């Protein structure tokens, strides 16, 4: 990763064009991306249908097919703000504000329920994220890889969350576009998107850190070459953490403690320090033991995912993928492996580690008999719908 090929060289900021140029560029990009968007929606449709057929009797019909455990929290925060009386045992401060804030704003403007607004935001963000993944794949490899990159993200375990009343999809969408802007050295855009992502999900802190590190590296690289980096990298550096830092400051103020956010996370059993638990559960998953909790097909798949992710990260190093992409993937994986307490939640959080799908997308793009690829995708789409039944619906007492 030390050398930089012509393909890997970042595209520097050019002189800003007018709104007409931006609109024309977006229109061309959307036209290029339509196969990826169509493929993504087709896969999600198949998975959703399978999920719907298999979900009877599991509580989904009572709460709604896309309303899971944390969905109730987003609904309550959108309607009541950060009211600590929402639950007697758990804290609303574990949820970042952008998603429920947009739900509340949409409800006020349109009169629709916060649930309807939230699901609309989620699905728009899902399509926009598929668009971003296509552009990332196209930038780093080629258009065919971009199409498969977007589709493979729809096939990851717990991909059902991409259509649920959760903040994950919005955060990943903002992150993917921030990463794309960063690779093209659009510092202001990358900083603003990272700022918004940081106010949406804690895993998005990985893109915040990546933008900041990239700005520092840019400064020293250009300084070594006797060139000036200008003010844009530093603007991105300053803007990127504002969302995350602002929310942490708010929580600290409300809880009267600088470590307020960590105290809120502790009520949920999350926080940095759970790596040992995850490794222990991987062992239980391999053994298939522990009172039947780790001997189901879905739990075996979860264990497989946890074992495969480090291998795919090693592949990223071997392939000498752009260091910004590798850094982001490593950081988000570390966050997931060290901070998550529930075995069923890990695959959902790893949706944010979408760059691990770039190498498999590149491999599939090189397969000469493409019908084999599409057959594999169809099978995996059905499997993704089956796996969705592993996502917890009702968290029990203490959940709104």
């Amino acid at each position: 990763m030390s050398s930089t090929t012509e393909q890997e060289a970042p595209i520097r900021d050019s002189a800003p064009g007018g709104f007409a140029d931006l609109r024309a560029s977006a229109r061309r990009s959307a036209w290029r991306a339509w196969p990826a968007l169509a493929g993504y929606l087709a896969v999600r449709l198949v998975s959703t249908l399978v999920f719907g057929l298999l979900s009877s009797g599991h509580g989904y019909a009572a709460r709604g097919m896309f309303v899971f455990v944390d969905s109730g929290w987003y609904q309550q925060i959108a309607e009541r703000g950060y009211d600590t009386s929402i639950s007697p045992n758990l804290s609303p401060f574990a949820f970042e504000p952008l998603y429920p804030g947009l739900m509340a704003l949409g409800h006020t403007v349109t009169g629709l329920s916060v649930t309807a607004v939230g699901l609309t935001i989620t699905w728009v963000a899902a399509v926009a994220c598929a668009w971003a993944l296509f552009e990332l794949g196209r930038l780093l490899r080629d258009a065919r890889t971009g199409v498969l990159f977007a589709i493979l993200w729809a096939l990851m375990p717990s991909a059902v969350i991409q259509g649920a009343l959760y903040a994950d999809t919005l955060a990943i969408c903002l992150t993917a576009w921030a990463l794309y802007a960063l690779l093209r050295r659009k510092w202001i855009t990358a900083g603003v998107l990272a700022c918004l992502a940081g106010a949406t999900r804690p895993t998005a802190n990985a893109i915040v850190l990546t933008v900041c590190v990239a700005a520092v590296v840019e400064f020293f690289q250009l300084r070594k070459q006797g060139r000036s980096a200008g003010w844009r990298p530093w603007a991105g550096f300053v803007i990127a953490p504002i969302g995350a830092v602002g929310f942490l400051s708010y929580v600290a103020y409300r809880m009267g403690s600088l470590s307020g956010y960590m105290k809120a996370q502790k009520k949920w059993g999350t926080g940095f320090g759970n790596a040992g638990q995850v490794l222990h559960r991987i062992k239980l998953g391999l053994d298939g033991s522990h009172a039947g909790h780790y001997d189901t097909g879905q739990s075996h798949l979860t264990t497989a995912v946890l074992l495969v992710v480090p291998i795919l990260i090693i592949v990223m190093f071997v392939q000498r993928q752009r260091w910004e992409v590798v850094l982001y993937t490593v950081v988000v994986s570390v966050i997931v492996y060290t901070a998550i307490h529930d075995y069923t939640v890990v695959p959902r959080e790893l949706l944010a580690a979408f760059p691990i799908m770039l190498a498999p997308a590149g491999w599939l793009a090189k397969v000469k008999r493409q019908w084999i690829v599409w057959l594999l995708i169809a099978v995996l789409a059905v499997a993704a719908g089956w796996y969705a039944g592993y996502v917890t619906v009702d968290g029990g007492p203490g959940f709104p």
Side-chain angles (χ1 to χ4, degrees):
M1 295 193 324
S2 57
S3 62
T4 303
T5 66
E6 183 177 350
Q7 181 182 5
E8 294 172 332
I11 302 174
R12 307 289 177 184
D13 263 330
S14 56
F19 178 75
D21 291 340
L22 179 62
R23 184 173 58 185
S25 177
R27 186 164 53 243
R28 289 192 299 270
S29 174
W31 177 251
R32 289 193 303 263
W34 78 261
L37 305 185
Y40 173 83
L41 288 173
V43 167
R44 293 299 310 124
L45 175 61
V46 171
S47 297
T48 300
L49 289 174
V50 173
F51 175 47
L53 290 173
L54 298 178
S55 63
S56 60
H58 291 281
Y60 295 96
R63 295 191 56 153
M65 184 176 290
F66 294 115
V67 180
F68 300 146
V69 173
D70 292 343
S71 301
W73 281 94
Y74 288 116
Q75 291 168 327
Q76 290 293 314
I77 294 171
E79 294 172 350
R80 300 167 54 181
Y82 285 97
D83 184 348
T84 55
S85 65
I86 292 176
S87 169
N89 304 318
L90 302 172
S91 173
F93 295 123
F95 299 90
E96 278 73 5
L98 183 61
Y99 184 62
L102 290 176
M103 290 168 62
L105 177 62
H107 167 68
T108 301
V109 172
T110 66
L112 296 173
S113 68
V114 293
T115 300
V117 173
L119 289 175
T120 300
I121 293 170
T122 293
W123 279 95
V124 170
V127 174
C129 188
W131 184 1
L133 296 183
F134 166 78
E135 287 293 1
L136 277 169
R138 177 177 173 271
L139 177 67
L140 297 171
R141 299 289 180 83
D142 52 52
R144 177 177 289 183
T145 300
V147 171
L148 291 168
F149 190 25
I151 291 174
L152 288 183
W153 184 61
L155 295 171
M156 292 178 69
S158 289
V160 65
I161 295 299
Q162 295 171 15
L165 194 69
Y166 270 41
D168 298 61
T169 304
L170 177 61
I172 297 170
C173 174
L174 293 167
T175 295
W177 280 113
L179 188 58
Y180 176 71
L182 177 63
L183 294 177
R184 300 189 65 216
R185 291 308 186 255
K186 304 293 184 181
W187 293 105
I188 306 300
T189 302
V192 170
L193 291 171
C195 169
L196 294 174
T200 310
R201 284 289 296 152
T203 48
N205 288 323
I207 190 61
V208 173
L209 178 63
T210 302
V211 170
C212 292
V213 171
V216 174
V217 170
E218 180 86 350
F219 172 78
F220 283 106
Q221 281 184 341
L222 294 182
R223 183 179 181 182
K224 186 177 181 180
Q225 298 170 10
R227 300 162 58 192
S228 172
W231 60 272
R232 291 178 181 273
W234 292 120
F237 179 92
V238 172
I239 294 171
I242 290 177
V245 172
F247 180 62
L248 292 177
S249 301
Y250 171 75
V251 175
Y253 168 75
R254 284 287 305 274
M255 296 190 68
S257 171
L258 291 176
S259 60
Y261 181 76
M262 297 308 297
K263 291 180 179 179
Q265 291 287 350
K266 190 174 181 180
K267 289 187 176 183
W268 289 81
T270 58
F272 296 102
N274 290 324
Q277 294 184 32
V278 173
L279 293 174
H280 177 63
R281 287 169 180 174
I282 291 176
K283 179 180 180 300
L284 293 176
L286 291 172
D287 293 341
S289 58
H290 198 63
H293 292 294
Y294 297 91
D295 59 0
T296 65
Q298 294 96 330
S299 64
H300 290 321
L301 182 57
T302 303
T303 302
V305 168
L306 289 168
L307 294 173
V308 167
V309 168
I311 296 174
L312 290 175
I313 291 177
I314 292 172
V315 170
M316 296 177 73
F317 279 96
V318 172
Q319 291 185 340
R320 301 171 68 85
Q321 293 187 24
R322 287 281 294 272
W323 71 264
E324 301 95 331
V325 178
V326 176
L327 175 62
Y328 166 77
T329 309
V330 170
V331 173
V332 77
S333 299
V334 168
I335 291 173
V336 173
Y337 276 71
T338 60
I340 304 303
H341 72 293
D342 193 326
Y343 204 62
T344 63
V345 173
V346 175
R348 164 198 159 193
E349 297 291 348
L350 282 173
L351 291 173
F354 55 84
I356 62 175
M357 292 288 100
L358 184 60
W363 297 333
L364 292 176
K366 294 178 181 178
V367 176
K368 293 183 179 180
R369 298 181 179 180
Q370 284 295 295
W371 67 268
I372 298 177
V373 175
W374 297 114
L375 178 60
L376 175 63
I377 288 172
V379 172
L380 292 176
V382 173
W386 161 79
Y387 183 87
Y390 193 42
V391 180
T392 306
V393 181
D394 187 358
F399 287 81

